[in-house]
Amino acid sequence: MGDSQGDFNRFVKNFSTRLIQTVVQSRLGRPTDTQCSLPADEKDWFSFKVDELGEVAAYISQSLQRFPPSIDCFTLEFLLYTASGDYLPLEEWQVSVDRDDKDLTVTMSNLYHQFGVLLRSCAIAARMTPLSRYYVKKQSSESFVVLYRILDKMGNANPSSDDYIMRQLAKLPSPYGSLSVNLFFKEKVETTPRKSSSPAPNKTSERQRPSSYSSAIPVEGSERVQATTPVSDHLHVFRGSPATPTSTDAPSSVSDQKRMDESTCSSSDEDAGPFRGPCQCHYGSGVSLPNMDDKTLSPGHRTSSSFPFAVLLSSSKCKCSLEKINSPPVEPILVEEEKRESTNSASSHSESESDEEDSSADPLASAKIFSISPSTSHVAPGSNLGEFLEQCRHAPVDGIHGVTDTPNLIKNQIDEFASHISEFDHFVKEVEERVDHD
Amino acid sequence: MNARLKEYNLNLDIRQVPDAITCIFHSLLLHRSTAKFHYKTETNFQLGSLGIKEVECQFIDLCYVRVNSDELAMKVDEDVRAFHAEVERSTRGRNNGVIQTQISMEFFHRRRKSSWLPLVSEGDENIPWERWNVNLIVNLNSNEDISSLRETAAEAVSDIILSLCSCINKPQYMPKMPTQKEIADVFDEQFSDVQPYLFKIIRNKGPSSTNSGVAYTMKKLMKDTLFI
């Protein structure tokens, strides 16, 4: 009995995370394409393949510390954030467990199968709502972007709401309560008082035709803007669609959004939680994403391809600074060290050891970060999340990108070379003598 | 046999018929498919995982997801194209007006021939357990700008799909997971990467030839009663 209760809790937890991933990914505006596989991967639950986005996974772990049935309900809410600063709630997915509604005849294997069917229903239904049909592919900095947030409670929509249409996608009975997935969506766009600036009276307009937004779709692969979010504590800014705005044409009202880069996270979530596994993502439950000031970001931050785990890094850095993790030392294989070893310079070797010990304070540590990657890992950057996070944790908080430190680095290297020039000359002389002897 | 029967009505331009039908049928098949089985023993099997692919409709403002199996997609596409061609043939020479037609997807399981009832059954019998009828009113005004119809068709089709999703998650009869010997009686094994429940697409050209809900149910009921 106890085990079955545990199974049920795991089913609901894994179903919830996959539902969120599936629905959020359907709002990317990028075609989903996952392959059938046999046998199933360990991380595949409900015989349904869901590629997890690291950003979404990190946000789930921050937003939902507990899942039904430990909590009554959670809500995945989608909103439009317009260029004029209005928030237009459009859609809610509410997942709840009614612990009093029990059906003892349902077996766990049947329930597992039903969860799989329901998950597929959610993937299908996510493409059928007005949000998906009218807005997802029309996002731009000049009109609106789609945002989402996760609440660990019931959202604003309820069956008696006049402005929402409700669809109960399922009510699955089980011996431990019935799981319900309710979809609420609006046919009309309504401006709410939740406005970041210049409050305006509520107004309701008829649903806008997609043609009114069609001119603002930027080119795929354009530079993405990462800046502070106006609602960072409560609202997770949805990133990434073909309609991602360029940094040059984005008006401040929307471009100031914090756009989160996406990355595929291969997590296996068994007993220990949804985000453990190959990637070993241990995010602090109380860690909030720090606002990333655009001015402090190097160009590397602006594209997802060059820096794919921006938010995970933020979480990691934040956690490091908050909890002062005493992590095991990295074993950097430095190009500089190799050079020094070749010259058998004991003094320079001891210098490099002291560099290692004081890496957090050394402005030259940034050079180490870049030199570690190619020598210690043959995996493409961003493909091994655990390793990446580990490296990030050891990175100094400031000076990661080393753009401003480059002159110092060159100067130090020249100084070092100058201090050892006599040894070098001696070495060259010895070699020449040996050659002459031979 | 309590076969589930659902009917939906759609009003479409003739160019939108393939998009709408494909979208509805693939949504059904995504629910009614499993990944391939890998039997370890006669009764013990391992399941794979289903992948999905997002497809954009050509004449409707709508995207849908289907099982990521080109073989299955090809099979559905064949039937839908044949249906569309039949509808087009039946409207030849007409420039306007509407016609009514129907197309259905039926899921069934196979009952093996019983040697002690040779007169009742002729070979294996297909017993339907779920049938989805789509009644179409097809507009032949091909001169009308398709852009004005894209959105209305998308609303209608998406409404059907959402209704379908709600309906399909309600408890109902489903064939039991088969043993290795019985798998061909429940699942369609012709595809290399996916295993849908046995299904067929039934094309009806006109309303006169359609199986109305009550008549169809009664016919099946009598057939089952006689058989049992």
Side-chain angles (χ1 to χ4, degrees):
Chain A
M1 182 73 177
D3 286 341
S4 294
Q5 174 73 63
D7 286 343
F8 178 72
N9 293 349
R10 268 194 299 276
F11 285 6
V12 176
K13 182 177 183 178
N14 286 290
F15 171 80
S16 302
T17 56
R18 276 152 184 79
L19 181 145
I20 294 170
Q21 287 276 357
T22 302
V23 176
V24 168
Q25 287 177 39
S26 73
R27 272 71 177 117
L28 286 173
R30 192 172 299 169
T32 304
D33 191 344
T34 54
Q35 299 297 317
C36 298
S37 66
L38 178 70
D41 295 336
E42 283 184 6
K43 63 178 184 289
D44 292 341
W45 271 76
F46 312 115
S47 303
F48 187 62
K49 195 164 277 294
V50 178
D51 285 337
E52 292 188 49
L53 299 185
E55 300 292 347
V56 181
Y59 181 57
I60 294 171
S61 70
Q62 286 178 351
S63 310
L64 286 178
Q65 274 80 53
R66 293 183 300 156
F67 292 83
S70 298
I71 56 174
D72 291 333
C73 177
F74 77 84
T75 302
L76 173 63
E77 184 182 16
F78 289 94
L79 311 92
L80 290 188
Y81 179 61
T82 67
S84 58
D86 291 324
Y87 299 109
L88 312 175
L90 273 186
E91 193 175 296
E92 286 187 14
W93 297 70
Q94 294 179 4
V95 179
S96 59
V97 171
D98 181 356
R99 280 164 284 191
D100 298 328
D101 185 14
K102 296 177 179 175
D103 185 346
L104 299 176
T105 62
V106 178
T107 64
M108 295 311 284
S109 59
N110 273 344
L111 190 63
Y112 184 87
H113 179 70
Q114 288 170 347
F115 271 120
V117 174
L118 178 54
L119 196 53
R120 287 174 246 165
S121 280
C122 294
I124 293 168
R127 272 90 177 168
M128 299 297 148
T129 62
L131 173 63
S132 178
R133 286 188 280 124
Y134 296 115
Y135 302 111
V136 164
K137 292 186 178 173
K138 309 291 180 189
Q139 296 175 78
S140 91
S141 56
E142 294 166 1
S143 53
F144 54 79
V145 291
V146 179
L147 315 175
Y148 76 94
R149 64 176 177 174
I150 302 169
L151 308 169
D152 57 358
K153 57 183 180 182
M154 199 76 79
N156 295 321
N158 60 68
S160 59
S161 304
D162 290 335
D163 45 354
Y164 281 98
I165 294 171
M166 177 192 161
R167 294 277 186 175
Q168 184 171 61
L169 292 182
K171 186 173 185 180
L172 300 183
S174 86
Y176 307 100
S178 63
L179 178 130
S180 297
V181 177
N182 293 328
L183 168 61
F184 296 86
F185 58 87
K186 280 184 179 177
E187 288 286 344
K188 288 180 180 177
V189 173
E190 183 177 327
T191 305
T192 70
R194 285 186 286 171
K195 196 172 177 180
S196 57
S197 60
S198 62
N202 290 0
K203 58 182 179 182
T204 304
S205 59
E206 287 298 316
R207 185 176 60 219
Q208 300 191 42
R209 295 288 299 272
S211 56
S212 61
Y213 304 115
S214 60
S215 63
I217 303 173
V219 179
E220 173 84 29
S222 59
E223 189 179 29
R224 288 166 183 154
V225 177
Q226 294 187 20
T228 54
T229 168
V231 285
S232 58
D233 288 339
H234 304 292
L235 206 59
H236 187 71
V237 178
F238 190 79
R239 194 215 65 74
S241 72
T244 306
T246 61
S247 60
T248 52
D249 63 0
S252 60
S253 59
V254 174
S255 64
D256 284 347
Q257 299 285 317
K258 178 174 153 191
R259 293 192 167 255
M260 312 195 74
D261 291 324
E262 68 192 72
S263 53
T264 300
C265 172
S266 59
S267 70
S268 72
D269 39 349
E270 302 303 324
D271 301 355
F275 307 113
R276 289 191 59 187
C279 61
Q280 294 293 320
C281 308
H282 302 284
Y283 311 121
S285 59
V287 176
S288 61
L289 294 179
N291 289 345
M292 298 171 74
D293 191 343
D294 205 23
K295 292 173 184 174
T296 65
L297 297 177
S298 76
H301 270 111
R302 293 175 185 265
T303 57
S304 62
S305 58
S306 62
F307 202 73
F309 298 110
V311 169
L312 299 184
L313 175 61
S314 305
S315 301
S316 175
K317 284 167 66 180
C318 184
K319 192 174 179 180
C320 282
S321 61
L322 289 172
E323 300 175 9
K324 302 199 182 295
I325 296 172
N326 186 15
S327 50
V330 184
E331 297 175 358
I333 304 172
L334 300 177
V335 176
E336 298 159 276
E337 284 185 358
E338 288 172 359
K339 285 180 184 173
R340 288 167 190 168
E341 283 172 7
S342 68
T343 56
N344 295 323
S345 172
S347 60
S348 62
H349 185 71
S350 64
E351 278 177 18
S352 76
E353 284 178 352
S354 63
D355 283 348
E356 265 185 54
E357 289 168 3
D358 299 328
S359 61
S360 61
D362 188 353
L364 295 183
S366 58
K368 293 177 185 175
I369 292 292
F370 290 116
S371 61
I372 286 168
S373 302
S375 56
T376 56
S377 172
H378 299 290
V379 183
S383 60
N384 189 334
L385 181 58
E387 186 182 345
F388 179 80
L389 273 177
E390 195 63 30
Q391 290 178 6
C392 291
R393 286 198 180 107
H394 293 89
V397 174
D398 53 352
I400 286 179
H401 306 289
V403 176
T404 55
D405 297 331
T406 305
N408 287 336
L409 172 66
I410 294 170
K411 186 174 180 301
N412 286 350
Q413 286 179 339
I414 291 172
D415 290 345
E416 189 179 313
F417 179 74
S419 66
H420 294 94
I421 196 163
S422 59
E423 293 174 27
F424 181 71
D425 288 343
H426 181 67
F427 172 73
V428 172
K429 198 174 177 181
E430 279 184 352
V431 172
E432 285 176 345
E433 284 174 0
R434 286 186 183 178
V435 169
D436 289 343
H437 276 290
D438 293 339
Chain B
M1 172 67 63
N2 296 316
R4 172 190 273 165
L5 177 67
K6 287 292 289 182
E7 286 205 343
Y8 297 109
N9 300 316
L10 255 181
N11 195 335
L12 297 169
D13 182 89
I14 192 165
R15 290 163 289 182
Q16 297 172 320
V17 169
D19 277 343
I21 301 301
T22 309
C23 175
I24 293 169
F25 283 179
H26 273 302
S27 298
L28 286 169
L29 283 169
L30 181 53
H31 286 103
R32 294 294 181 231
S33 296
T34 67
K36 293 293 272 189
F37 285 11
H38 174 66
Y39 278 93
K40 294 177 176 174
T41 64
E42 177 63 25
T43 55
N44 191 1
F45 59 87
Q46 187 183 14
L47 264 176
S49 292
L50 276 181
I52 57 173
K53 184 171 187 175
E54 195 166 319
V55 182
E56 196 153 355
C57 293
Q58 192 180 357
F59 292 108
I60 301 177
D61 286 336
L62 198 63
C63 281
Y64 64 92
V65 283
R66 64 166 172 83
V67 179
N68 200 349
S69 163
D70 290 338
E71 296 171 38
L72 180 61
M74 206 177 297
K75 157 84 175 150
V76 174
D77 193 47
E78 275 175 22
D79 281 316
V80 172
R81 269 197 293 178
F83 174 70
H84 188 228
E86 284 170 9
V87 173
E88 281 190 320
R89 268 198 300 276
S90 67
T91 61
R92 198 165 287 164
R94 297 169 64 181
N95 292 326
N96 52 30
V98 296
I99 61 161
Q100 291 187 351
T101 184
Q102 187 193 60
I103 188 166
S104 309
M105 177 168 274
E106 185 175 276
F107 294 93
F108 61 93
H109 68 87
R110 201 167 281 141
R111 181 142 46 184
R112 297 285 178 193
K113 178 182 174 181
S114 304
S115 57
W116 48 277
L117 278 175
L119 295 178
V120 178
S121 60
E122 296 175 0
D124 298 340
E125 191 186 8
N126 298 335
I127 311 293
W129 51 271
E130 190 172 67
R131 179 165 168 143
W132 305 82
N133 293 341
V134 183
N135 300 319
L136 291 171
I137 297 175
V138 182
N139 297 300
L140 307 177
N141 299 325
S142 55
N143 292 330
E144 192 173 346
D145 183 13
I146 192 75
S147 60
S148 63
L149 304 171
R150 297 176 72 99
E151 192 182 331
T152 51
E155 277 182 27
V157 173
S158 60
D159 194 49
I160 287 176
I161 302 282
L162 287 173
S163 168
L164 175 158
C165 289
S166 298
C167 179
I168 218 161
N169 285 294
K170 288 178 180 164
Q172 83 125 23
Y173 169 82
M174 296 273 292
K176 285 180 185 172
M177 283 295 164
T179 61
Q180 191 167 10
K181 277 181 189 169
E182 299 164 343
I183 189 167
D185 298 339
V186 176
F187 289 104
D188 193 335
E189 290 191 295
Q190 65 174 300
F191 309 108
S192 64
D193 46 4
V194 67
Q195 206 166 254
Y197 283 96
L198 285 169
F199 73 97
K200 62 183 171 187
I201 293 171
I202 303 160
R203 309 191 298 266
N204 295 311
K205 278 184 265 184
S208 57
S209 61
T210 60
N211 290 318
S212 69
V214 177
Y216 172 76
T217 308
M218 289 302 293
K219 189 176 164 185
K220 283 292 166 194
L221 190 65
M222 288 176 67
K223 199 172 179 182
D224 290 343
T225 309
L226 274 175
F227 186 82
I228 292 167

